[in-house]
Amino acid sequence: MPKPVLLTVDDDPQVLRAVERDLRERYRQDYRVMRAASGAEGLETLQELAARGVPVALILSDHRMPEMDGVEFLKASLPLFPEAKRALLTAYADTSAAIRAINQVGVDRYLLKPWDPPEDGLYPALDELLAEWRLTYRPAFEGVRILGSRWSPRAYELREFLARNHVPYQWLDIESEADDPDLKRLRAVVDAGAELPLVELPGGAQLPAPTPADLSEHVGLQTRAEQEFYDLLIVGGGPAGLAAAVYGASEGLRTLLVEREAPGGQAGLSSRIENYLGFSTGISGSRLAQEAVIQARRFGVEIVTQAVTALRADGPYRVLELADGSSVSGHAVILATGVQWRALDVPGLAPLQGAGVYYGAGTTEALACKDEDVYIVGGANSAGQAAMNFARHARQVMLLVRGASLATSMSQYLIEQIEQTPNIRVELNSSVVGVHGTERLDAIDVHCSISGQTQTLEATSLFIFIGAEPGTDWLSGTLERDGRGFILSGPDLMHGGKRPKGWPLDRDPGLLETSLPGVFAVGDVRRGSVKRVASGVGEGSVAISFVHQYLARV
């Protein structure tokens, strides 16, 4: 496969040469740098690259160009390479136009001229864009292959598992008519009796219908702790858990993080988080999770992919029981298990989960929905972010909102972006009351609370974002929880000024501490938490100071 292309476009020959020079200096090992002297020439170049199947990673365009300015050019390039990252090179006087381009056209970043030295003004921004592009780029493949049906719940589960763990894989749809030699070869294995979905590992080994747990060790994920005892055990690898891991390990605590599925939690499924401090053009949840995992491992955090089934006290120690029958002990525990999407209570919907009905952002499904109509249920930020992501691929995105306004539950910046996206349609006062389909979703019934009418719409993809609930049943009888299952901590444990029943210490529970001393709850799983990525990160980092205080007393 040819190297991915970095294309720079500018009508000023001197600036064009300077940009090309700096790009080659930094990126020539991994990318091919090309240039064009106008928007029209740039489009011709992109058309040629698309016809030859050459990937384009980044398009960097000057703003002020005759005939076609930079914003118009970047917008025109979208159909040719929708996954390429786009940056606008502009003067300080044009920053308002650049910001409009980010909001209206989907430009990923704007850079100011002059950018010297490039180590400060150019490379950091481009490094970040290219790292994010590589997360979704699928080069000529030498990794895991999955053969299955798009409508298979097990195949969807495997794809989502690998994507969220940043394991590169190639998806082969058994119903595809593509003339692909790998598709034909693996079809023959299925015809000979292998069960779908069929997974082929690097090196050629094949796994018929594996579970994510079966696949974990084969793709390099650690499933067992290396030690029996740690200073700090963290359950859950969302933003709160990862923050706790980074701060704990950086302050000298031997730290183990146990995550059931994949680091990032619900935030890791977000296509774009645009209001997280420090990222002016936003950051994908996947990229944020990946960077946090790298940071945690750099400080020595051990990360294990396992489900935790029980928590218990053993004298001064705290013990986690794991799904494989093993256990691990530590001085202190931080629970950062987050929340799970609440199920939509519609008859017949559960059997279609993974076969047209999905909870969460469906990171692996966006490309599969190209030129289709997509329905999204929900009116909060997660639903809005998903709508913006799917709008890049789908023919139309229908946002079904039970309330009378988006303003009560969605950030204003997202509302404005949705209003400016022509293929997103918002239906207020609307809810899904029925689904149709046997092996896959065929149609949905949508009820309008204003008119009282229900209409049946053809649908193949329904994504649900209707709030969340904690999955804390495994803590029943161990920790105090509220009626919805959220963990009580700190002042919430004090009933009429009295300490929780069975509390053994001569002090009140600390802030974020649960009804079991030395066990702390952070992030969305804790009652009263603010459901934001930044607040989860804050709680995870602050909890480490309480862990130190606890360890100093025991």
Side-chain angles (χ1 to χ4, degrees):
M1 282 288 290
K3 290 182 179 179
V5 167
L6 310 182
L7 176 65
T8 179
V9 181
D10 201 309
D11 67 310
D12 185 326
Q14 185 175 354
V15 175
L16 186 61
R17 285 194 297 271
V19 176
E20 182 185 27
R21 177 201 64 218
D22 288 343
L23 291 180
R24 289 184 186 279
E25 179 68 24
R26 177 80 161 193
Y27 301 111
R28 61 187 173 191
Q29 285 288 107
D30 301 310
Y31 300 91
R32 178 187 177 192
V33 178
M34 299 182 68
R35 66 180 184 180
S38 68
E41 183 181 330
L43 289 178
E44 289 179 6
T45 300
L46 291 175
Q47 288 167 352
E48 292 176 5
L49 293 172
R52 289 159 41 201
V54 178
V56 174
L58 172 73
I59 305 172
L60 175 62
S61 175
D62 186 51
H63 177 51
R64 290 195 178 186
M65 296 189 296
E67 298 181 5
M68 179 185 294
D69 67 28
V71 173
E72 293 171 336
F73 164 68
L74 292 175
K75 184 177 182 179
S77 71
L78 272 169
L80 292 168
F81 289 96
E83 301 304 316
K85 295 301 176 183
R86 289 166 170 77
L88 192 68
L89 194 59
T90 183
Y92 181 79
D94 295 324
T95 53
S96 59
I99 293 173
R100 284 197 302 273
I102 291 172
N103 292 333
Q104 298 174 12
V105 184
V107 172
D108 296 290
R109 181 67 65 91
Y110 73 88
L111 305 171
L112 293 177
K113 297 186 292 186
W115 59 88
D116 287 330
E119 289 77 12
D120 296 332
L122 184 68
Y123 297 150
L126 297 189
D127 286 350
E128 182 179 319
L129 291 177
L130 292 172
E132 192 164 326
W133 177 81
R134 286 194 297 271
L135 286 177
T136 56
Y137 172 53
R138 299 291 181 262
F141 205 70
E142 297 180 355
V144 177
R145 291 185 173 88
I146 305 175
L147 174 69
S149 167
R150 174 186 170 186
W151 310 111
S152 161
R154 175 62 65 82
Y156 170 75
E157 182 183 30
L158 293 175
R159 299 199 312 273
E160 195 78 345
F161 173 76
L162 292 175
R164 292 186 62 192
N165 280 287
H166 307 110
V167 177
Y169 72 92
Q170 181 184 28
W171 165 246
L172 299 171
D173 190 340
I174 196 167
E175 298 168 6
S176 171
E177 298 179 358
D179 186 19
D180 185 316
D182 290 314
L183 179 61
K184 292 179 180 178
R185 177 174 55 80
L186 293 179
R187 267 184 184 153
V189 178
V190 173
D191 290 341
E195 187 179 355
L196 286 174
L198 178 65
V199 174
E200 184 176 67
L201 302 170
Q206 295 170 346
L207 305 176
T211 65
D214 296 332
L215 206 51
S216 293
E217 290 192 41
H218 289 288
V219 296
L221 299 179
Q222 183 178 341
T223 60
R224 296 185 69 89
E226 294 178 357
Q227 304 176 46
E228 295 182 354
F229 192 89
Y230 296 81
D231 295 321
L232 175 63
L233 305 173
I234 300 171
V235 185
L242 287 168
V246 168
Y247 277 84
S250 67
E251 294 178 14
L253 298 178
R254 290 174 300 159
T255 302
L256 174 71
L257 186 150
V258 185
E259 164 58 43
R260 181 181 62 180
E261 295 177 345
Q266 284 194 0
L269 293 170
S270 176
S271 56
R272 204 80 186 162
I273 303 169
E274 299 204 42
N275 57 356
Y276 190 66
L277 184 67
F279 296 90
S280 60
T281 58
I283 184 171
S284 71
S286 176
R287 174 75 196 287
L288 186 64
Q290 185 187 44
E291 290 295 328
V293 167
I294 293 171
Q295 190 176 22
R297 285 185 169 141
R298 184 167 66 87
F299 285 118
V301 176
E302 191 179 331
I303 299 177
V304 167
T305 303
Q306 269 276 8
V308 179
T309 58
L311 164 68
R312 60 182 173 86
D314 183 7
Y317 308 124
R318 303 294 173 255
V319 182
L320 298 178
E321 304 287 351
L322 306 182
D324 66 354
S326 64
S327 64
V328 63
S329 304
H331 287 299
V333 173
I334 292 179
L335 300 174
T337 51
V339 289
Q340 303 168 351
W341 294 113
R342 191 167 70 241
L344 182 63
D345 187 16
V346 172
L349 185 142
L352 296 175
Q353 186 173 341
V357 174
Y358 310 96
Y359 287 93
T363 54
T364 62
E365 294 304 297
L367 289 174
C369 294
K370 183 176 176 62
D371 299 326
E372 296 180 0
D373 292 340
V374 171
Y375 293 85
I376 295 176
V377 180
N381 280 5
S382 53
Q385 290 162 350
M388 292 300 300
N389 182 41
F390 280 104
R392 300 170 62 192
H393 307 281
R395 177 173 54 229
Q396 178 176 261
V397 177
M398 184 85 75
L399 193 58
L400 304 173
V401 183
R402 184 176 58 180
S405 169
L406 285 175
T408 58
S409 55
M410 189 178 291
S411 296
Q412 185 61 33
Y413 80 89
L414 268 176
I415 295 175
E416 292 174 357
Q417 289 181 359
I418 287 171
E419 290 173 345
Q420 295 163 1
T421 305
N423 64 331
I424 297 180
R425 181 175 155 192
V426 179
E427 291 292 336
L428 302 173
N429 306 296
S430 300
S431 55
V432 175
V433 296
V435 296
H436 305 275
T438 51
E439 295 183 355
R440 52 173 279 190
L441 179 69
D442 295 323
I444 59 176
D445 296 329
V446 179
H447 176 75
C448 176
S449 60
I450 300 297
S451 67
Q453 295 181 341
T454 299
Q455 57 177 328
T456 299
L457 306 172
E458 290 187 7
T460 56
S461 297
L462 177 69
F463 295 87
I464 302 168
F465 302 82
I466 58 168
E469 54 194 13
T472 58
D473 289 346
W474 63 283
L475 293 169
S476 178
T478 304
L479 301 182
E480 288 196 22
R481 301 172 296 151
D482 68 9
R484 297 175 59 194
F486 289 95
I487 298 173
L488 301 181
S489 62
D492 286 341
L493 289 167
M494 304 296 289
H495 307 295
K498 295 182 179 180
R499 294 166 184 160
K501 184 179 179 180
W503 182 258
L505 303 180
D506 188 23
R507 64 170 177 82
D508 294 343
L511 191 66
L512 304 180
E513 194 169 20
T514 70
S515 57
L516 180 59
V519 176
F520 303 83
V522 297
D524 292 355
V525 75
R526 185 183 65 82
R527 188 173 83 168
S529 67
V530 178
K531 305 300 188 282
R532 289 289 186 270
V533 175
S535 64
V537 169
E539 288 189 13
S541 58
V542 167
I544 297 304
S545 65
F546 300 134
V547 169
H548 282 301
Q549 292 173 22
Y550 171 78
L551 294 178
R553 296 178 181 139
V554 296

